[in-house]
Amino acid sequence: MTLARTRTSRIARTLGTGAAVAAAALLAAPAAGAAVNHQSLNSPHHSGRSAVFVQSDDPTANTVVAYDRAADGTLAQQGVYATGGKGGILPGTVADHLASQGSLAYDGDHQLLYAVNAGSDTVTVFAVHGTHLKRVQEISSGGSFPVSVTFHGNRVYVANTLGGGSVQGFARSGERLVKVDSWHRALGLDKATSAVGQISFTPDGSKLVVTTKASGQSIDVFPVGSHSGPSARPVVTSTPGAVPFGFAFDAAGRIRVTEAGTNSVGTFTVGRDGRLTAKGTVPTGQTATCWAVTAGHHLYVSNAGSGTLSGYRVGPQGELTALGNTATHAGTVDAAASSDGRYLYVQTGIKGVVDEFRVGRSGSLTAIGWVVVPGAVGGEGIAAG
């Protein structure tokens, strides 16, 4: 049996006949663009481990801008790559046109970058060769106005924020995605308002976590089987008045959720059944606390209204110790940390700037520069290797 048939059979057992047919077609089709020497691309020079990618979310033509990260953490623009789709602007937004976290996701293990095109209701897949991107695919997001994307192994999920909100799952076959219809879940939210803040797998890949704001104001957890889609219904933790927005996981798997309604950070543990247990809330004292990122044993949250980052040290029992606030350019939004935790990169939406910081051993942040991202005023989506 050929390799292609073996892989197709495996997909058929996992996803069902319809998805297998689509996957077989993908496996039979030649890859777009020139052939790639994967052995050379997996070397440190080509792996993307020193790259930072920023999405412009330009409503006329969405792009991803690739930056090389120097040894001192500063960024140098290397290329601008069209996604093939359009960015989007939710009504009433200024610094954060998508009002979400995680609209760009980098899979370093498979050298792939996933970008949402909110204005086109699609997702773009790029193959990553260092700081060079090759657009491989643009595929329907399975809903209206996609705002966040996550992956684990060969599974990719996208959250759509309009039309009542929805989650759509895909199976990865090589560098391409196959939409699995049975992995679609409607969130049943108010169709008149934007609703979803973020979607992400838990670190072990056993659950999908979705924050809903506006009409929802809840944290929804879908248990996910290793060879199946999400549970029919999520385990819902209601947080009225908190407006849960973005979140990040710490080393122990606890969820740190930004609560825009109270400008605070809530901590939750995740049970095996998907139930959340609240472990405390820490106020930031800032305004529009909406995004979160971890860097080593430190947590940083973005306060768009204050133009600041609030830093915290994560203690051995999960306790948060405030490290103070660090100023950024106006409109602090999504952020990403380098894989070694030494550098932090923060999008600021008013002027479309990425601020660069060095992370000290104590968690202190030292500004080391900033870059203007072409066409990215109000843009969201940043990922780092």
Side-chain angles (χ1 to χ4, degrees), residues 30-73:
V36 174
N37 183 334
H38 289 282
Q39 182 175 359
S40 65
L41 294 179
N42 287 332
S43 67
H45 178 71
H46 291 283
S47 67
R49 283 183 288 182
S50 61
V52 174
F53 306 103
V54 185
Q55 181 170 248
S56 71
D57 193 44
D58 190 322
T60 60
N62 192 17
T63 57
V64 173
V65 185
Y67 295 88
D68 178 69
R69 187 178 79 237
D72 64 358

Side-chain angles (χ1 to χ4, degrees), residues 3 14 19 45 63 76 99 145 163 173 216 229 253 263 284 339 354 356 358:
L3 174 62
T14 303
H45 178 71
T63 57
F145 211 93
S173 176
N263 295 307
T284 64
S339 57
V354 169
E356 309 159 352
R358 182 171 60 250

Side-chain angles (χ1 to χ4, degrees), residues 14-354:
T14 303
L15 306 181
T17 304
V21 172
L26 292 177
L27 290 167
V36 174
N37 183 334
H38 289 282
Q39 182 175 359
S40 65
L41 294 179
N42 287 332
S43 67
H45 178 71
H46 291 283
S47 67
R49 283 183 288 182
S50 61
V52 174
F53 306 103
V54 185
Q55 181 170 248
S56 71
D57 193 44
D58 190 322
T60 60
N62 192 17
T63 57
V64 173
V65 185
Y67 295 88
D68 178 69
R69 187 178 79 237
D72 64 358
T74 57
L75 301 180
Q77 182 179 317
Q78 299 298 304
V80 180
Y81 301 91
T83 66
K86 297 180 179 180
I89 304 176
L90 287 170
T93 58
V94 178
D96 57 336
H97 288 166
L98 299 183
S100 69
Q101 178 169 319
S103 61
L104 191 67
Y106 174 47
D107 180 351
D109 288 341
H110 299 100
Q111 303 291 293
L112 296 173
L113 187 70
Y114 303 107
V116 303
N117 302 299
S120 302
D121 297 339
T122 60
V123 179
T124 295
V125 183
F126 289 101
V128 178
H129 308 147
T131 56
H132 176 78
L133 303 180
K134 180 185 73 173
R135 190 174 73 214
V136 175
Q137 181 185 26
E138 185 184 357
I139 187 171
S140 168
S141 70
S144 179
F145 211 93
V147 294
S148 187
V149 58
T150 187
F151 62 88
H152 190 276
N154 67 346
R155 297 169 293 171
V156 177
Y157 278 82
V158 176
N160 301 284
T161 201
L162 297 183
S166 65
V167 168
Q168 176 63 58
F170 303 80
R172 180 185 56 81
S173 176
E175 294 180 337
R176 303 175 74 88
L177 300 180
V178 180
K179 184 163 71 74
V180 184
D181 292 338
S182 63
W183 293 2
H184 180 90
R185 298 291 182 270
L187 295 175
L189 302 168
D190 184 350
K191 293 184 178 181
T193 60
S194 63
V196 177
Q198 184 183 353
I199 186 171
S200 180
F201 275 103
T202 54
D204 64 0
S206 67
K207 301 170 186 68
L208 279 169
V209 180
V210 182
T211 50
T212 71
K213 41 198 174 64
S215 61
Q217 297 199 35
S218 65
I219 306 170
D220 297 355
V221 179
F222 290 90
V224 183
S226 57
H227 298 291
S228 61
S231 58
R233 294 180 178 82
V235 178
V236 178
T237 299
S238 182
T239 58
V243 190
F245 196 109
F247 57 91
F249 295 94
D250 65 19
R254 290 174 286 251
I255 304 179
R256 312 293 185 166
V257 182
T258 58
E259 299 177 340
T262 56
N263 295 307
S264 57
V265 181
T267 297
F268 300 85
T269 57
V270 188
R272 295 184 63 181
D273 60 356
R275 297 183 185 277
L276 301 185
T277 300
K279 294 296 183 179
T281 301
V282 177
T284 64
Q286 305 292 288
T287 56
T289 301
C290 297
W291 295 265
V293 62
T294 54
H297 295 291
H298 304 101
L299 173 76
Y300 302 92
V301 298
S302 299
N303 308 296
S306 302
T308 60
L309 293 167
S310 296
Y312 300 89
R313 182 183 304 110
V314 180
Q317 303 303 317
E319 66 275 16
L320 296 180
T321 300
L323 300 175
N325 300 309
T326 302
T328 69
H329 280 81
T332 320
V333 290
D334 213 347
S338 60
S339 57
D340 59 10
R342 295 175 59 192
Y343 301 102
L344 187 67
Y345 301 96
V346 185
Q347 285 181 290
T348 59
I350 297 300
K351 293 186 177 181
V353 168
V354 169

